[in-house]
Amino acid sequence: MTDIEPDETVDARGAACPGPLMDLIGQIRDAEAGDVVRLLSDTDQSLTDVPEWAEEAGNELLAVEEFDDHNAFYVERS
Amino acid sequence: MTEHVVIVGGGTGGTVLANDLADRLDAELDAGDVRITLVNDGPDHVYKPVWLYVPFGQREPDDGRRPLDELVDDAVDLRIDRVSEIDTEAQRLRFDGTAPAVDYDYLVLATGSTLEPERIPGLVDGGYDYYSEVGSTALRDELLEFTEGHLVLSVIGTPHMCPAAPLEFVFMADDWLRERGLREDVDITYTYPIQRVHGNPHIAEWARPIMDDRGIEVETFFNAESIDPEAKTITSMEGTELDYDLLVTIPPHGGIDLIEEAGLGDNGWVDVDKHTLEAQAVDNVYALGDTADTGVPNAGSVAHYQAGVVGQRLASEVRGRPPTATYDGKTLCFIETGMDAASFVEFDYENQPSPAPPSEKLHWSKLAYNDSYWLTARGLL
């Protein structure tokens, strides 16, 4: 578990790929620098998509929480 | 008691459904057991796939526009008004102006996608599109004058209507410019928001080698942040800046605000059971086409197949039987790979697409279907 407090949460559970990543990008687009967005996704592809995009965009993937049926990604807008 | 089915939206999904129900519930309509109302905010039905061909001078916007009252069965009440509120508790729609409210027993939302270019600074002034009548004609005029320079096609947001159309546009532009002897003087770059050239990995894997063979440059992980129409540059959230001479974009899309205001889903898309197409939040409400958040492409074929499912389910409901029809994710799509060749894909929730080898036959199949579309709208094909 992490004690990071997200500024926004995007619940993309149930969405097919690339929906979760696009939902995250959409939320980061509207975020201020330093804001943390939490993405909830039950698509395994997010485990590779999200770190790849975060690195490409220069945003920081602070943490990934793994649950039984989904993962939570904490991304800070640079 | 007369059951009232109200459909909001006179695009492919709403129009096919209205005609499907008029046919399916013929006896119940005659007996006065059911009433069907189709609400649209304008008098015409618009077939949007025509717009892809307008910039290349092969179609006119009027080819994709016909009056709804010529397409919709006479048994359907057609109402041209703009809905201002969806009250799911009272099962009532309210309208702009003084138009009287309408109560429904079953509501189907087929309100589709709207373009939101204003969400990206500089896009309204800096970019062209072929996702609207006015956009496609403005792009046609610009493209006819374009003889050299850098053409950038940027997919700015997903989901967007017709996910194959960005690939089709660059394939057609490449071929069209070659035929006119201009390709050597024009660079083409295609940008996409994720790490491949299409949302579906199988289609992306098929398309990328074609792009490489044809000299179409690719920028992936490119999410447009702003456009400078004076400097003619487009900058991504990932920090890449591209110079352009002609910028063609797929603008951000959204649904209508009324859906979020009614608590039915975010960004104008209704949260639905992806098999029954019933709204998750309330009873007696369905959504179809772009409006239904199912994760399948925003495509006319999807709206067409979903309309058949919702038609069967509503007919069962009206007849007091449990509805059993379900949507399996079926999607069909022709993909133009040039001015005289196309591919074809078919897939669903369980089966992935496998694009057919491009051929002239498939290209003509696509054009033939586009001309036959009016039979689909009438519920005949």
mmCIF file with all atom_site columns, all heavy atoms in Angstrom, chain B residues 221-239:
data_model
loop_
_atom_site.group_PDB
_atom_site.id
_atom_site.type_symbol
_atom_site.label_atom_id
_atom_site.label_alt_id
_atom_site.label_comp_id
_atom_site.label_asym_id
_atom_site.label_entity_id
_atom_site.label_seq_id
_atom_site.pdbx_PDB_ins_code
_atom_site.Cartn_x
_atom_site.Cartn_y
_atom_site.Cartn_z
_atom_site.occupancy
_atom_site.B_iso_or_equiv
_atom_site.pdbx_formal_charge
_atom_site.auth_seq_id
_atom_site.auth_comp_id
_atom_site.auth_asym_id
_atom_site.auth_atom_id
_atom_site.pdbx_PDB_model_num
ATOM 1   N N   . PHE B 1 221 ? 3.448  7.956  -29.488 1.00 0.00 ? 221 PHE B N   1
ATOM 2   C CA  . PHE B 1 221 ? 3.449  8.669  -28.204 1.00 0.00 ? 221 PHE B CA  1
ATOM 3   C C   . PHE B 1 221 ? 3.439  10.173 -28.459 1.00 0.00 ? 221 PHE B C   1
ATOM 4   O O   . PHE B 1 221 ? 4.253  10.920 -27.917 1.00 0.00 ? 221 PHE B O   1
ATOM 5   C CB  . PHE B 1 221 ? 4.637  8.275  -27.330 1.00 0.00 ? 221 PHE B CB  1
ATOM 6   C CG  . PHE B 1 221 ? 4.387  7.046  -26.498 1.00 0.00 ? 221 PHE B CG  1
ATOM 7   C CD1 . PHE B 1 221 ? 5.425  6.155  -26.238 1.00 0.00 ? 221 PHE B CD1 1
ATOM 8   C CD2 . PHE B 1 221 ? 3.151  6.783  -25.937 1.00 0.00 ? 221 PHE B CD2 1
ATOM 9   C CE1 . PHE B 1 221 ? 5.213  5.030  -25.445 1.00 0.00 ? 221 PHE B CE1 1
ATOM 10  C CE2 . PHE B 1 221 ? 2.937  5.652  -25.151 1.00 0.00 ? 221 PHE B CE2 1
ATOM 11  C CZ  . PHE B 1 221 ? 3.958  4.779  -24.898 1.00 0.00 ? 221 PHE B CZ  1
ATOM 12  N N   . PHE B 1 222 ? 2.555  10.617 -29.334 1.00 0.00 ? 222 PHE B N   1
ATOM 13  C CA  . PHE B 1 222 ? 2.458  12.039 -29.681 1.00 0.00 ? 222 PHE B CA  1
ATOM 14  C C   . PHE B 1 222 ? 1.044  12.498 -29.349 1.00 0.00 ? 222 PHE B C   1
ATOM 15  O O   . PHE B 1 222 ? 0.089  12.191 -30.067 1.00 0.00 ? 222 PHE B O   1
ATOM 16  C CB  . PHE B 1 222 ? 2.760  12.232 -31.169 1.00 0.00 ? 222 PHE B CB  1
ATOM 17  C CG  . PHE B 1 222 ? 2.893  13.678 -31.578 1.00 0.00 ? 222 PHE B CG  1
ATOM 18  C CD1 . PHE B 1 222 ? 4.141  14.260 -31.761 1.00 0.00 ? 222 PHE B CD1 1
ATOM 19  C CD2 . PHE B 1 222 ? 1.766  14.479 -31.777 1.00 0.00 ? 222 PHE B CD2 1
ATOM 20  C CE1 . PHE B 1 222 ? 4.263  15.596 -32.149 1.00 0.00 ? 222 PHE B CE1 1
ATOM 21  C CE2 . PHE B 1 222 ? 1.879  15.801 -32.153 1.00 0.00 ? 222 PHE B CE2 1
ATOM 22  C CZ  . PHE B 1 222 ? 3.131  16.368 -32.334 1.00 0.00 ? 222 PHE B CZ  1
ATOM 23  N N   . ASN B 1 223 ? 0.917  13.201 -28.228 1.00 0.00 ? 223 ASN B N   1
ATOM 24  C CA  . ASN B 1 223 ? -0.380 13.742 -27.799 1.00 0.00 ? 223 ASN B CA  1
ATOM 25  C C   . ASN B 1 223 ? -0.309 15.262 -27.912 1.00 0.00 ? 223 ASN B C   1
ATOM 26  O O   . ASN B 1 223 ? 0.339  15.922 -27.096 1.00 0.00 ? 223 ASN B O   1
ATOM 27  C CB  . ASN B 1 223 ? -0.672 13.322 -26.358 1.00 0.00 ? 223 ASN B CB  1
ATOM 28  C CG  . ASN B 1 223 ? -1.026 11.853 -26.272 1.00 0.00 ? 223 ASN B CG  1
ATOM 29  O OD1 . ASN B 1 223 ? -2.165 11.458 -26.489 1.00 0.00 ? 223 ASN B OD1 1
ATOM 30  N ND2 . ASN B 1 223 ? -0.025 11.012 -25.993 1.00 0.00 ? 223 ASN B ND2 1
ATOM 31  N N   . ALA B 1 224 ? -0.947 15.795 -28.934 1.00 0.00 ? 224 ALA B N   1
ATOM 32  C CA  . ALA B 1 224 ? -0.837 17.227 -29.216 1.00 0.00 ? 224 ALA B CA  1
ATOM 33  C C   . ALA B 1 224 ? -1.233 18.051 -27.995 1.00 0.00 ? 224 ALA B C   1
ATOM 34  O O   . ALA B 1 224 ? -2.296 17.841 -27.412 1.00 0.00 ? 224 ALA B O   1
ATOM 35  C CB  . ALA B 1 224 ? -1.707 17.593 -30.404 1.00 0.00 ? 224 ALA B CB  1
ATOM 36  N N   . GLU B 1 225 ? -0.364 18.965 -27.623 1.00 0.00 ? 225 GLU B N   1
ATOM 37  C CA  . GLU B 1 225 ? -0.665 19.853 -26.495 1.00 0.00 ? 225 GLU B CA  1
ATOM 38  C C   . GLU B 1 225 ? -1.094 21.219 -26.993 1.00 0.00 ? 225 GLU B C   1
ATOM 39  O O   . GLU B 1 225 ? -2.004 21.826 -26.445 1.00 0.00 ? 225 GLU B O   1
ATOM 40  C CB  . GLU B 1 225 ? 0.568  19.994 -25.597 1.00 0.00 ? 225 GLU B CB  1
ATOM 41  C CG  . GLU B 1 225 ? 0.310  20.841 -24.364 1.00 0.00 ? 225 GLU B CG  1
ATOM 42  C CD  . GLU B 1 225 ? 1.276  20.507 -23.252 1.00 0.00 ? 225 GLU B CD  1
ATOM 43  O OE1 . GLU B 1 225 ? 2.496  20.612 -23.513 1.00 0.00 ? 225 GLU B OE1 1
ATOM 44  O OE2 . GLU B 1 225 ? 0.828  20.131 -22.155 1.00 0.00 ? 225 GLU B OE2 1
ATOM 45  N N   . SER B 1 226 ? -0.424 21.699 -28.047 1.00 0.00 ? 226 SER B N   1
ATOM 46  C CA  . SER B 1 226 ? -0.793 23.008 -28.595 1.00 0.00 ? 226 SER B CA  1
ATOM 47  C C   . SER B 1 226 ? -0.314 23.115 -30.030 1.00 0.00 ? 226 SER B C   1
ATOM 48  O O   . SER B 1 226 ? 0.580  22.374 -30.462 1.00 0.00 ? 226 SER B O   1
ATOM 49  C CB  . SER B 1 226 ? -0.180 24.136 -27.758 1.00 0.00 ? 226 SER B CB  1
ATOM 50  O OG  . SER B 1 226 ? 1.229  24.082 -27.838 1.00 0.00 ? 226 SER B OG  1
ATOM 51  N N   . ILE B 1 227 ? -0.940 24.061 -30.727 1.00 0.00 ? 227 ILE B N   1
ATOM 52  C CA  . ILE B 1 227 ? -0.589 24.335 -32.114 1.00 0.00 ? 227 ILE B CA  1
ATOM 53  C C   . ILE B 1 227 ? -0.352 25.828 -32.239 1.00 0.00 ? 227 ILE B C   1
ATOM 54  O O   . ILE B 1 227 ? -1.116 26.627 -31.674 1.00 0.00 ? 227 ILE B O   1
ATOM 55  C CB  . ILE B 1 227 ? -1.735 23.867 -33.044 1.00 0.00 ? 227 ILE B CB  1
ATOM 56  C CG1 . ILE B 1 227 ? -1.751 22.332 -33.081 1.00 0.00 ? 227 ILE B CG1 1
ATOM 57  C CG2 . ILE B 1 227 ? -1.583 24.428 -34.455 1.00 0.00 ? 227 ILE B CG2 1
ATOM 58  C CD1 . ILE B 1 227 ? -3.096 21.733 -33.144 1.00 0.00 ? 227 ILE B CD1 1
ATOM 59  N N   . ASP B 1 228 ? 0.705  26.183 -32.945 1.00 0.00 ? 228 ASP B N   1
ATOM 60  C CA  . ASP B 1 228 ? 0.979  27.595 -33.201 1.00 0.00 ? 228 ASP B CA  1
ATOM 61  C C   . ASP B 1 228 ? 0.710  27.846 -34.687 1.00 0.00 ? 228 ASP B C   1
ATOM 62  O O   . ASP B 1 228 ? 1.554  27.529 -35.533 1.00 0.00 ? 228 ASP B O   1
ATOM 63  C CB  . ASP B 1 228 ? 2.442  27.913 -32.848 1.00 0.00 ? 228 ASP B CB  1
ATOM 64  C CG  . ASP B 1 228 ? 2.748  29.398 -33.008 1.00 0.00 ? 228 ASP B CG  1
ATOM 65  O OD1 . ASP B 1 228 ? 2.025  30.076 -33.771 1.00 0.00 ? 228 ASP B OD1 1
ATOM 66  O OD2 . ASP B 1 228 ? 3.712  29.871 -32.385 1.00 0.00 ? 228 ASP B OD2 1
ATOM 67  N N   . PRO B 1 229 ? -0.465 28.397 -35.009 1.00 0.00 ? 229 PRO B N   1
ATOM 68  C CA  . PRO B 1 229 ? -0.820 28.567 -36.427 1.00 0.00 ? 229 PRO B CA  1
ATOM 69  C C   . PRO B 1 229 ? 0.090  29.551 -37.153 1.00 0.00 ? 229 PRO B C   1
ATOM 70  O O   . PRO B 1 229 ? 0.246  29.447 -38.369 1.00 0.00 ? 229 PRO B O   1
ATOM 71  C CB  . PRO B 1 229 ? -2.258 29.106 -36.377 1.00 0.00 ? 229 PRO B CB  1
ATOM 72  C CG  . PRO B 1 229 ? -2.756 28.809 -35.005 1.00 0.00 ? 229 PRO B CG  1
ATOM 73  C CD  . PRO B 1 229 ? -1.556 28.826 -34.119 1.00 0.00 ? 229 PRO B CD  1
ATOM 74  N N   . GLU B 1 230 ? 0.692  30.501 -36.420 1.00 0.00 ? 230 GLU B N   1
ATOM 75  C CA  . GLU B 1 230 ? 1.583  31.474 -37.067 1.00 0.00 ? 230 GLU B CA  1
ATOM 76  C C   . GLU B 1 230 ? 2.899  30.812 -37.448 1.00 0.00 ? 230 GLU B C   1
ATOM 77  O O   . GLU B 1 230 ? 3.366  30.918 -38.577 1.00 0.00 ? 230 GLU B O   1
ATOM 78  C CB  . GLU B 1 230 ? 1.862  32.652 -36.104 1.00 0.00 ? 230 GLU B CB  1
ATOM 79  C CG  . GLU B 1 230 ? 0.637  33.470 -35.762 1.00 0.00 ? 230 GLU B CG  1
ATOM 80  C CD  . GLU B 1 230 ? 0.083  34.183 -36.983 1.00 0.00 ? 230 GLU B CD  1
ATOM 81  O OE1 . GLU B 1 230 ? 0.877  34.676 -37.795 1.00 0.00 ? 230 GLU B OE1 1
ATOM 82  O OE2 . GLU B 1 230 ? -1.158 34.212 -37.137 1.00 0.00 ? 230 GLU B OE2 1
ATOM 83  N N   . ALA B 1 231 ? 3.492  30.122 -36.459 1.00 0.00 ? 231 ALA B N   1
ATOM 84  C CA  . ALA B 1 231 ? 4.791  29.467 -36.705 1.00 0.00 ? 231 ALA B CA  1
ATOM 85  C C   . ALA B 1 231 ? 4.614  28.152 -37.458 1.00 0.00 ? 231 ALA B C   1
ATOM 86  O O   . ALA B 1 231 ? 5.596  27.563 -37.915 1.00 0.00 ? 231 ALA B O   1
ATOM 87  C CB  . ALA B 1 231 ? 5.491  29.222 -35.370 1.00 0.00 ? 231 ALA B CB  1
ATOM 88  N N   . LYS B 1 232 ? 3.341  27.663 -37.550 1.00 0.00 ? 232 LYS B N   1
ATOM 89  C CA  . LYS B 1 232 ? 3.034  26.371 -38.170 1.00 0.00 ? 232 LYS B CA  1
ATOM 90  C C   . LYS B 1 232 ? 3.812  25.243 -37.497 1.00 0.00 ? 232 LYS B C   1
ATOM 91  O O   . LYS B 1 232 ? 4.592  24.513 -38.139 1.00 0.00 ? 232 LYS B O   1
ATOM 92  C CB  . LYS B 1 232 ? 3.300  26.415 -39.674 1.00 0.00 ? 232 LYS B CB  1
ATOM 93  C CG  . LYS B 1 232 ? 2.339  27.348 -40.393 1.00 0.00 ? 232 LYS B CG  1
ATOM 94  C CD  . LYS B 1 232 ? 2.244  27.023 -41.858 1.00 0.00 ? 232 LYS B CD  1
ATOM 95  C CE  . LYS B 1 232 ? 1.010  27.664 -42.469 1.00 0.00 ? 232 LYS B CE  1
ATOM 96  N NZ  . LYS B 1 232 ? 0.730  27.252 -43.809 1.00 0.00 ? 232 LYS B NZ  1
ATOM 97  N N   . THR B 1 233 ? 3.603  25.141 -36.191 1.00 0.00 ? 233 THR B N   1
ATOM 98  C CA  . THR B 1 233 ? 4.204  24.053 -35.434 1.00 0.00 ? 233 THR B CA  1
ATOM 99  C C   . THR B 1 233 ? 3.133  23.394 -34.570 1.00 0.00 ? 233 THR B C   1
ATOM 100 O O   . THR B 1 233 ? 2.182  24.048 -34.133 1.00 0.00 ? 233 THR B O   1
ATOM 101 C CB  . THR B 1 233 ? 5.343  24.540 -34.513 1.00 0.00 ? 233 THR B CB  1
ATOM 102 O OG1 . THR B 1 233 ? 4.824  25.543 -33.629 1.00 0.00 ? 233 THR B OG1 1
ATOM 103 C CG2 . THR B 1 233 ? 6.504  25.098 -35.306 1.00 0.00 ? 233 THR B CG2 1
ATOM 104 N N   . ILE B 1 234 ? 3.315  22.106 -34.333 1.00 0.00 ? 234 ILE B N   1
ATOM 105 C CA  . ILE B 1 234 ? 2.462  21.371 -33.411 1.00 0.00 ? 234 ILE B CA  1
ATOM 106 C C   . ILE B 1 234 ? 3.377  20.719 -32.380 1.00 0.00 ? 234 ILE B C   1
ATOM 107 O O   . ILE B 1 234 ? 4.392  20.114 -32.735 1.00 0.00 ? 234 ILE B O   1
ATOM 108 C CB  . ILE B 1 234 ? 1.572  20.334 -34.144 1.00 0.00 ? 234 ILE B CB  1
ATOM 109 C CG1 . ILE B 1 234 ? 0.747  19.513 -33.154 1.00 0.00 ? 234 ILE B CG1 1
ATOM 110 C CG2 . ILE B 1 234 ? 2.377  19.414 -35.060 1.00 0.00 ? 234 ILE B CG2 1
ATOM 111 C CD1 . ILE B 1 234 ? -0.341 18.649 -33.818 1.00 0.00 ? 234 ILE B CD1 1
ATOM 112 N N   . THR B 1 235 ? 3.027  20.903 -31.098 1.00 0.00 ? 235 THR B N   1
ATOM 113 C CA  . THR B 1 235 ? 3.876  20.425 -30.007 1.00 0.00 ? 235 THR B CA  1
ATOM 114 C C   . THR B 1 235 ? 3.116  19.406 -29.190 1.00 0.00 ? 235 THR B C   1
ATOM 115 O O   . THR B 1 235 ? 1.933  19.589 -28.894 1.00 0.00 ? 235 THR B O   1
ATOM 116 C CB  . THR B 1 235 ? 4.287  21.611 -29.104 1.00 0.00 ? 235 THR B CB  1
ATOM 117 O OG1 . THR B 1 235 ? 4.887  22.604 -29.923 1.00 0.00 ? 235 THR B OG1 1
ATOM 118 C CG2 . THR B 1 235 ? 5.272  21.170 -28.026 1.00 0.00 ? 235 THR B CG2 1
ATOM 119 N N   . SER B 1 236 ? 3.816  18.334 -28.812 1.00 0.00 ? 236 SER B N   1
ATOM 120 C CA  . SER B 1 236 ? 3.152  17.273 -28.052 1.00 0.00 ? 236 SER B CA  1
ATOM 121 C C   . SER B 1 236 ? 3.417  17.392 -26.565 1.00 0.00 ? 236 SER B C   1
ATOM 122 O O   . SER B 1 236 ? 4.375  18.061 -26.134 1.00 0.00 ? 236 SER B O   1
ATOM 123 C CB  . SER B 1 236 ? 3.628  15.906 -28.546 1.00 0.00 ? 236 SER B CB  1
ATOM 124 O OG  . SER B 1 236 ? 4.929  15.645 -28.066 1.00 0.00 ? 236 SER B OG  1
ATOM 125 N N   . MET B 1 237 ? 2.580  16.731 -25.767 1.00 0.00 ? 237 MET B N   1
ATOM 126 C CA  . MET B 1 237 ? 2.797  16.656 -24.321 1.00 0.00 ? 237 MET B CA  1
ATOM 127 C C   . MET B 1 237 ? 4.114  15.964 -24.002 1.00 0.00 ? 237 MET B C   1
ATOM 128 O O   . MET B 1 237 ? 4.678  16.147 -22.936 1.00 0.00 ? 237 MET B O   1
ATOM 129 C CB  . MET B 1 237 ? 1.660  15.839 -23.672 1.00 0.00 ? 237 MET B CB  1
ATOM 130 C CG  . MET B 1 237 ? 0.308  16.502 -23.708 1.00 0.00 ? 237 MET B CG  1
ATOM 131 S SD  . MET B 1 237 ? -1.002 15.345 -23.245 1.00 0.00 ? 237 MET B SD  1
ATOM 132 C CE  . MET B 1 237 ? -0.640 15.046 -21.515 1.00 0.00 ? 237 MET B CE  1
ATOM 133 N N   . GLU B 1 238 ? 4.593  15.160 -24.951 1.00 0.00 ? 238 GLU B N   1
ATOM 134 C CA  . GLU B 1 238 ? 5.834  14.417 -24.734 1.00 0.00 ? 238 GLU B CA  1
ATOM 135 C C   . GLU B 1 238 ? 7.060  15.243 -25.108 1.00 0.00 ? 238 GLU B C   1
ATOM 136 O O   . GLU B 1 238 ? 8.199  14.764 -25.019 1.00 0.00 ? 238 GLU B O   1
ATOM 137 C CB  . GLU B 1 238 ? 5.807  13.113 -25.548 1.00 0.00 ? 238 GLU B CB  1
ATOM 138 C CG  . GLU B 1 238 ? 4.767  12.104 -25.083 1.00 0.00 ? 238 GLU B CG  1
ATOM 139 C CD  . GLU B 1 238 ? 3.345  12.424 -25.555 1.00 0.00 ? 238 GLU B CD  1
ATOM 140 O OE1 . GLU B 1 238 ? 3.185  13.299 -26.426 1.00 0.00 ? 238 GLU B OE1 1
ATOM 141 O OE2 . GLU B 1 238 ? 2.391  11.809 -25.049 1.00 0.00 ? 238 GLU B OE2 1
ATOM 142 N N   . GLY B 1 239 ? 6.835  16.477 -25.583 1.00 0.00 ? 239 GLY B N   1
ATOM 143 C CA  . GLY B 1 239 ? 7.938  17.386 -25.838 1.00 0.00 ? 239 GLY B CA  1
ATOM 144 C C   . GLY B 1 239 ? 8.451  17.399 -27.269 1.00 0.00 ? 239 GLY B C   1
ATOM 145 O O   . GLY B 1 239 ? 9.473  18.008 -27.564 1.00 0.00 ? 239 GLY B O   1
#
